[in-house]
Amino acid sequence: MEPGERCRVAARYGPKITRHAEAHGRPRSRYVDGFVFPIPTRRIARYRSMAEAVARIWIEHGALAYHEYAGDDMSLEGTRSFIDLLSSGEDETIGFGWVVLESRAGFDAERMAYREVHWIHLSREILVPGQRGLDPGGVPLAGSENRAVFLRIARCHPSASCRFDMQRFKAILTLLTAVAFLVSPVLSSGFNGFSAGQFPIPQVDPPVQPAGYAFSIWGLIYLALLAGAVFGVVKRASHPGWDAARWPLIASLAVGAAWIPVANRSVAAATVLIWIMLATAVLALRAAGKDDRVGLRSPIALYAGWLTAASSVALGLMLAGYGWVGGTTAAVLCISLALVIAVFVQRARPDTPEYSAAVIWALVGVIVSNLDPLNGAVLGLSGVGIAVLGGVAIKTYPRAAAA
């Protein structure tokens, strides 16, 4: 018997078997919707987050249970494995899942709608173009032809631990840390830059620091982060692309909320903290999904871009202020470092040129601050940096936007 014939026979005689079981007092059989597909192994963690969100959606719409597993022991001599069936590569893990429904009647519309949502998220956030997969509708996923042992990815029941919505908790925590970050300047004594007296060698008009007007970008960053966090709670609490970016963003904003009081007391400690803020902000930008550029990626990109410049400025002030190198040398070294980081991040996230825009804004500010007195080395490096970074953003964006 061909695989398709076996499936048709099961469908034809299944109802009779069910009625026979009910006649003898046994529970009525449930309707199960299942799927099998390969997941790039490097993206398992991101997929797990998405699967947990999808599990709650199914339960909210009447499913009795939802399960997903990742393949472990995938082959047995004399049987055909899912690896062979799906032509899975060595860098892929087989995912297998199913949702248990009370019955098929009256649930088809919701089931199809949320299966579609699941696969849209899967294709955008996890799988590579052209990925293979088996969905219900006549494909035998068990029996003599396939054998596999799977490890659990996600599980959810109406009365189980899925009642605690971790995604929504993280969304609310992101909003709270954004608010704390926003009000930090108000609740503290504020910050107008490191004072000259905080360094053994006073730093007056250091060449590494942008002109004062450039710092006005913080107003835009604060508002963008707050608006994005509010939108995330209200509209995207369980969205996988948003959820993936939340932990590193929460960490960065939490550190940022404490940064001003620290900066007013210790330049060294503030420099360490701002580099931690930068690292976690870049991680958040890298992890953010492809949807909702304006609400999700743009605020993080502006924040990470400005931090790229600000962390390098802090390091440059440390180098010159403690006498390790001269002011111009510190500026050249740290601007170069900022450009290397910026090019790397922009190439890693070419669909969000706002990151480069924030860095370029800072470089323009550096140029303005070095016009009088004229500092040719810093002016030249900043101008080249603007051209290089702008060129990278312009070159990589169209291809990323079309993907």
Side-chain angles (χ1 to χ4, degrees), residues 10 13 35 51 56 64 66 81 106 150 152 178 188 190 216 222 242 255 259 278 294 319 325 329:
Y13 291 101
F35 45 87
R56 278 187 294 276
L64 301 178
Y66 183 93
S81 73
F150 292 85
R152 178 170 290 134
S188 65
S216 63
Y222 285 139
W242 285 68
V255 174
W259 188 82
L278 170 62
V294 173
L319 292 177
V325 295
T329 302

Side-chain angles (χ1 to χ4, degrees), residues 155-167:
R155 179 182 64 179
C156 203
H157 297 275
S159 60
S161 60
C162 58
R163 283 186 172 179
F164 178 72
D165 192 337
M166 177 58 77
Q167 274 76 16

Side-chain angles (χ1 to χ4, degrees), residues 296-345:
L296 173 61
R297 300 199 314 275
S298 294
I300 300 175
L302 290 171
Y303 175 58
W306 182 254
L307 285 177
T308 300
S311 58
S312 297
V313 169
L315 181 59
L317 291 172
M318 283 279 295
L319 292 177
Y322 281 84
W324 294 325
V325 295
T328 296
T329 302
V332 169
L333 289 175
C334 291
I335 291 172
S336 299
L337 175 61
L339 288 173
V340 170
I341 295 171
V343 169
F344 172 79
V345 174

